[in-house]
Amino acid sequence: MPENVIRLKKRPTEASDESRFRIRYAEVLNAQQFAAVTHREGPLLVVAGAGSGKTRTLIYRVARLIESGVPPGAILLLTFTRRAAQEMLRRVEQLIGERGSQVAGGTFHSFANLTLRRMGGAIGLKPNFTILDRGDMEDAINFIRAQLDLGSKDRRFPKKGTIAEAISMARNKSRPLAAELEADFPHLYEHADALEAIARRYAEYKRERGLLDYDDLLERLIELMKTDPAARARLSEAYRYIMIDEYQDTNLVQAEVVALLAATHQNVMAVGDDAQSIYAFRGANFRNILDFPKLFPDCRIIKLEENYRSLQGILDVANEVIARAGEKYTKALFTQRQGELRPILVRAADEHMQSRFVAQRILELREEGVALDEIAVLFRSSFHSFDLELELQRRDIPFVKRGGFKFIETAHIKDVLAHLRIIANPSDAVSWMRALVLLEGIGTRRAQRLADAIVGDPTAEPLLTRVASALGPRATGALKGCERLAQLLAKLRGDDARPANQLAQVIAYYLPIMRDAYPDDYPKRERDLEHFQNLSERYRSLESMLADMALEPPSDSIGDVLAEEPEEGLVTLSTIHSAKGLEWRVVFLIWAADGRFPSPMSVRPEELEEERRLMYVASTRARDELYISYPIYMFDRQYGHVLGRVSRFLEDLDPKVLPTAMLEEEPSD
C-alpha cells in the first residue's frame, strides 16, 4: 500500500452496529418494528394494524434517536391527547433515563399555543392572548347572534352549540361554511347567509380582542409559517425529527402543519392505521394517511401486521371485513398466540332475546372465572343498549356505560315518559310540570301554578276549565296547546290498549313539539323514539313498563344499585367510537344488523366505508372471545315489524371464519 494512501474503515450502518446501543433493539422488537425504529432520515409511514405494538414502536424510535446522538429537544412527538404524550415520554424516560423528559411532546394544539406565544409577534399576536374553550366560543357566538338580531324570535334558528360545531367543522375540513352546511348540516342550509354573517363577525370579534379558539391555534400557526419564511425555517431546524401518533385521525389543517414543520428536512414518521379511521364526524380526513406518500414522495412504508392481542379466529374476521374496503393499505393481521376459540354470529328472534343471551352468557363467564371488567358489550349507537341495560339491571349485573346518555337521561325520552306517567298517576306533579312546559306560552312559573291546580284530578276535562281561568283570554297559543294535551290524556285514559299503542299516540302528539324544541338534531331523537317504541312491544301493562323505566342508576352511569364498584368490576357497555384503543377478554357486538350497523344515516360511499372500518375496530377489541349478534325481527317506525338481516359487512363471510348460531327458547318444565 503506498504511504500516501490512508484507507478508512467503512462505517457500518446503524442497524448493523448494534453493539454501541445500550438497548438491545433487535431482541425486544419484531422485524417490522425494528425496521421502523432504526429508520433514520427521510419520511416514514408505519401502517400499524390493531394490536400490533404501535406505541411500543414510537417509544423505542425516540429512544433509538437519542441513543444515536440526536438531541432530545430536536425530537417532536405529536399526539391527540396530553395524557398519551405524557405516558409515551414517561416510558421513554424509563428506557434511557432523564434525557427522555427533554423530548418535545404534546398535542397539536398545545404545541401551537407554545409556539405562538414565543413567535406570534410576527403575525400581530401578543404573548398574553386568551384561548377560548368551547363554552367560551359558544357564549361569544350567542352574543354576536344577539348583536346581529338573528334568531331571537325564531325558535327554529340553530342554537349556539350547533353554530359553533358547524363553524369549527368547516375550518377543520378547510372548506367554506356554506359547503359544510350543504354536506353535513343540510337541515340548517336555509340559514346559510345568517350563519356566514355570524362566522365573519366572530372572526372579527376575536381579532379585535386578542382571542383565539382551538381552531385558531392551528390556523394562526400555519399563518405564521406561511407568511414568515424565517420563522418556518427556525421551527423546522429546531425539530429535526417529527413523529405523529394516530395519523389516520388528523384533519387537513393538522396535515398542513406537519408538512410545513418538515420543510427543511422531511424527517417525518407518521404512525397510524387506515382501517381505524372512524372520526370523520370530528373532522378527521381518511385521505391523509392514504395520501401521505404523495405529500412526502420519498416515503418509506412499513407495515406492522403481527398482533399481540387477539386469537387468530378474531383476526380472521377482522381481516375479511377490511379486505373488502375500497381503498386501503393491504395487510393481514396474524398472531402467535395459541387458542382454538372462534367468533360466533348469533341470530336472535328479537331484541329482547338478544339481551337475554348477552346477560346469560355474562353470568356463565363469571362462573367460569372471567372478571366482569374483562367483558364489554359494544354497539354502533348509544340507544342500541337500552333494552340490554334493563335486562342487566333485572339480573343484578353491574355495568358502566360509555358513550352517549343512558336511556332515561335523554330529554326527549323523559318528555314522552312524563305523559305516560300522568296516565298511571295523575298526582305526579313532576311529570305534569314536564308536560306543561313543552307547550307554547307556558314557562316554569305558569306551569307550576297549573300543575298545582290540576294534580290529582283523574279526568281530563277539568284541565281545560282550570287552564282557561288561569291563563286569561289573551293566552291563545297556550290555551290551544293545553286543549291538545287534554285531548291526548282523555284518549289515553279511555284506552285499555297495550303500552306500545299508548306510546305510539304520545309520540305522534310529541313529534311536532320535539322538532320545534330541538331543531338541530331531531332526526337523531326520532330514531331514539323509534327504538323506545320497539322496546315497549314486550310489555303487557303500562305499570310494568314504567316500573322498569324508573330504575334510576347512580349519576356516574353505573348500571347497578350498588353505591360502590364491586370487587369483580363492572361490565362495560360502550359505543364503538368510545371503545377505540381499549381491549377486553370477551366482547359482545350487538345489533350487527343492516339498517342499524351500518347506520341508516350513512348513505354516501365514503360514509359506508367508514362504517366498515368501525366494524373492524369493534371486532379487534376482543382478545379471546367475540360474539356478534342481531335480531331477526326488528321494529321500524315507518313499516312496523320487519325482518332483519345481518350487517352487509358480515353477510358474505365464509361460515368457517364466522360460524352462525340460532338462539332458541329453552323448553319449559
Side-chain angles (χ1 to χ4, degrees):
M1 178 184 298
E3 292 184 1
N4 62 340
V5 176
I6 301 175
R7 292 193 181 277
L8 299 177
K9 290 184 178 180
K10 183 178 181 181
R11 180 180 178 181
T13 61
E14 184 176 295
S16 64
D17 186 19
E18 290 300 304
S19 61
R20 65 192 180 99
F21 296 103
R22 185 175 61 82
I23 300 173
R24 297 291 179 254
Y25 294 94
E27 297 175 11
V28 297
L29 301 168
N30 66 35
Q32 288 72 34
Q33 292 171 338
F34 182 73
V37 166
T38 55
H39 176 87
R40 181 64 181 268
E41 302 294 324
L44 170 66
L45 174 62
V46 178
V47 181
S52 62
K54 73 172 181 63
T55 302
R56 183 180 182 84
T57 303
L58 277 165
I59 291 166
Y60 276 88
R61 174 125 194 281
V62 173
R64 179 79 172 203
L65 287 171
I66 294 174
E67 282 206 279
S68 300
V70 175
I75 302 170
L76 176 61
L77 176 59
L78 294 175
T79 66
F80 277 85
T81 66
R82 183 176 61 180
R83 182 177 178 181
Q86 291 173 338
E87 175 62 18
M88 286 188 196
L89 296 182
R90 183 188 66 80
R91 291 172 61 180
V92 171
E93 195 171 353
Q94 287 178 338
L95 283 176
I96 61 171
E98 64 178 357
R99 287 180 298 168
S101 64
Q102 301 168 24
V103 173
T107 66
F108 278 89
H109 293 90
S110 65
F111 172 75
N113 174 46
L114 292 174
T115 303
L116 289 173
R117 291 194 188 280
R118 287 190 293 111
M119 306 172 65
I123 54 173
L125 274 180
K126 295 181 179 179
N128 64 341
F129 62 78
T130 298
I131 300 175
L132 302 177
D133 63 20
R134 187 55 177 259
D136 297 328
M137 177 185 181
E138 292 179 7
D139 289 342
I141 285 174
N142 202 40
F143 172 73
I144 291 165
R145 183 177 63 175
Q147 268 193 334
L148 298 177
D149 194 26
L150 293 170
S152 58
K153 298 178 182 179
D154 183 0
R155 294 183 66 186
R156 291 188 176 276
F157 196 80
K159 297 177 182 178
K160 60 181 182 180
T162 304
I163 298 173
E165 182 183 359
I167 292 174
S168 180
M169 190 66 76
R171 296 168 70 186
N172 285 325
K173 292 184 177 181
S174 299
R175 63 185 179 191
L177 179 57
E180 173 58 27
L181 293 175
E182 187 174 13
D184 296 326
F185 300 83
H187 58 298
L188 304 182
Y189 191 75
E190 61 180 299
H191 304 292
D193 291 343
L195 295 179
E196 287 182 326
I198 291 174
R200 286 193 299 270
R201 182 67 190 107
Y202 173 59
E204 295 168 359
Y205 178 88
K206 290 180 295 179
R207 292 263 182 174
E208 291 167 357
R209 292 162 177 77
L211 306 173
L212 272 70
D213 60 26
Y214 290 147
D215 298 323
D216 286 321
L217 289 170
L218 299 185
E219 289 181 351
R220 300 304 296 274
L221 177 60
I222 289 173
E223 180 186 346
L224 170 66
M225 290 191 285
K226 281 187 170 181
T227 59
D228 188 343
R232 180 173 68 246
R234 285 201 304 274
L235 285 170
S236 187
E237 289 294 340
Y239 302 108
R240 295 289 302 172
Y241 295 91
I242 302 169
M243 285 179 275
I244 307 102
D245 188 22
E246 302 284 11
Y247 191 77
Q248 78 279 352
D249 294 335
T250 56
N251 58 38
L252 289 172
V253 178
Q254 290 161 333
E256 187 173 5
V257 168
V258 171
L260 289 168
L261 285 173
T264 65
H265 52 71
Q266 305 287 289
N267 292 331
V268 178
M269 174 184 178
V271 181
D273 184 4
D274 55 298
Q276 296 188 69
S277 179
I278 59 173
Y279 294 117
F281 67 94
R282 295 180 186 170
N285 192 309
F286 172 66
R287 297 226 56 87
N288 279 359
I289 193 167
L290 293 182
D291 294 342
F292 187 83
K294 296 179 182 177
L295 189 62
F296 298 96
D298 296 326
C299 172
R300 179 185 181 189
I301 300 176
I302 296 174
K303 299 177 184 178
L304 304 184
E305 298 175 286
E306 182 172 357
N307 180 284
Y308 295 91
R309 174 189 302 156
S310 308
L311 293 178
Q312 190 61 50
I314 293 169
L315 300 181
D316 289 342
V317 170
N319 287 336
E320 287 293 317
V321 167
I322 208 63
R324 292 159 172 76
E327 291 186 279
K328 62 186 178 296
Y329 287 105
T330 302
K331 57 184 177 296
L333 299 179
F334 67 94
T335 184
Q336 298 185 40
R337 285 192 62 204
Q338 300 298 313
E340 297 301 323
L341 287 172
R342 300 202 69 83
I344 298 175
L345 178 63
V346 179
R347 302 176 67 204
D350 54 26
E351 178 183 15
H352 188 47
M353 182 175 282
Q354 175 179 247
S355 298
R356 288 166 55 195
F357 159 72
V358 173
Q360 178 178 315
R361 182 60 187 137
I362 288 173
L363 292 174
E364 292 170 354
L365 288 165
R366 182 162 62 177
E367 290 298 314
E368 295 168 12
V370 179
L372 293 184
D373 59 10
E374 285 282 4
I375 303 171
V377 184
L378 306 184
F379 30 84
R380 172 61 183 85
S381 300
S382 183
F383 68 84
H384 288 169
S385 72
F386 293 162
D387 185 74
L388 177 62
E389 290 178 48
L390 297 175
E391 187 66 23
L392 294 178
Q393 289 175 339
R394 188 175 292 111
R395 300 200 189 202
D396 294 325
I397 300 174
F399 66 88
V400 60
K401 184 174 181 181
R402 297 191 176 97
F405 291 105
K406 300 196 76 174
F407 186 66
I408 60 172
E409 293 173 344
T410 53
H412 45 294
I413 297 297
K414 286 183 176 180
D415 289 345
V416 169
L417 279 172
H419 295 81
L420 296 174
R421 286 177 176 147
I422 290 171
I423 300 303
N425 179 14
S427 296
D428 186 342
V430 173
S431 293
W432 272 113
M433 282 285 295
R434 190 167 194 102
L436 288 167
V437 295
L438 294 171
L439 305 180
E440 179 185 350
I442 297 183
T444 303
R445 292 182 182 178
R446 180 173 280 176
Q448 184 65 64
R449 293 200 307 269
L450 294 175
D452 290 341
I454 293 167
V455 163
D457 197 314
T459 64
E461 288 306 319
L463 175 65
L464 285 174
T465 304
R466 293 194 173 107
V467 164
S469 61
L471 296 179
R474 288 185 293 180
T476 307
L479 190 57
K480 288 182 178 179
C482 288
E483 183 177 358
R484 287 193 295 271
L485 175 60
Q487 291 171 350
L488 171 70
L489 297 177
K491 188 174 182 181
L492 291 175
R493 285 197 181 100
D495 192 347
D496 294 327
R498 291 172 55 182
N501 295 334
Q502 292 177 300
L503 178 61
Q505 294 179 58
V506 174
I507 290 176
Y509 160 84
Y510 177 67
L511 279 176
I513 298 174
M514 184 188 70
R515 289 168 181 159
D516 194 48
Y518 307 107
D520 302 303
D521 63 352
Y522 67 81
K524 174 183 178 300
R525 295 175 189 264
E526 285 183 1
R527 294 196 298 277
D528 287 351
L529 292 177
E530 178 180 332
H531 200 79
F532 188 14
Q533 180 73 64
N534 189 26
L535 187 77
S536 69
E537 292 287 337
R538 76 171 198 254
Y539 290 95
R540 294 294 182 271
S541 74
L542 181 61
E543 288 72 19
S544 64
M545 185 177 81
L546 294 177
D548 277 351
M549 298 301 154
L551 294 172
E552 294 187 13
S555 59
D556 59 357
S557 296
I558 296 176
D560 190 71
V561 296
L562 301 178
E564 297 181 359
E565 181 175 329
E567 291 183 5
E568 61 186 340
L570 303 159
V571 173
T572 297
L573 308 187
S574 177
T575 60
I576 302 169
H577 285 100
S578 297
K580 185 175 178 293
L582 303 176
E583 61 182 73
W584 294 269
R585 182 172 170 182
V586 181
V587 168
F588 297 86
L589 174 59
I590 62 174
W591 276 106
D594 221 53
R596 297 293 194 277
F597 194 175
S599 164
M601 303 298 289
S602 300
V603 294
R604 293 179 291 192
E606 63 271 21
E607 294 170 340
L608 287 172
E609 285 298 288
E610 178 154 317
E611 294 283 309
R612 178 184 298 280
R613 298 192 292 271
L614 203 58
M615 180 71 77
Y616 171 89
V617 169
S619 60
T620 53
R621 299 309 94 197
R623 293 200 298 269
D624 296 347
E625 298 182 49
L626 173 62
Y627 300 91
I628 304 176
S629 63
Y630 72 100
I632 296 174
Y633 293 99
M634 307 189 307
F635 180 81
D636 182 275
R637 185 165 53 86
Q638 183 176 359
Y639 301 106
H641 283 94
V642 296
L643 284 175
R645 64 185 181 94
V646 69
S647 169
R648 68 190 67 182
F649 306 134
L650 302 172
E651 62 182 352
D652 57 350
L653 264 60
D654 189 329
K656 293 179 181 179
V657 172
L658 186 62
T660 301
M662 179 67 191
L663 291 182
E664 295 181 355
E665 293 278 3
E666 292 185 358
S668 56
D669 295 335

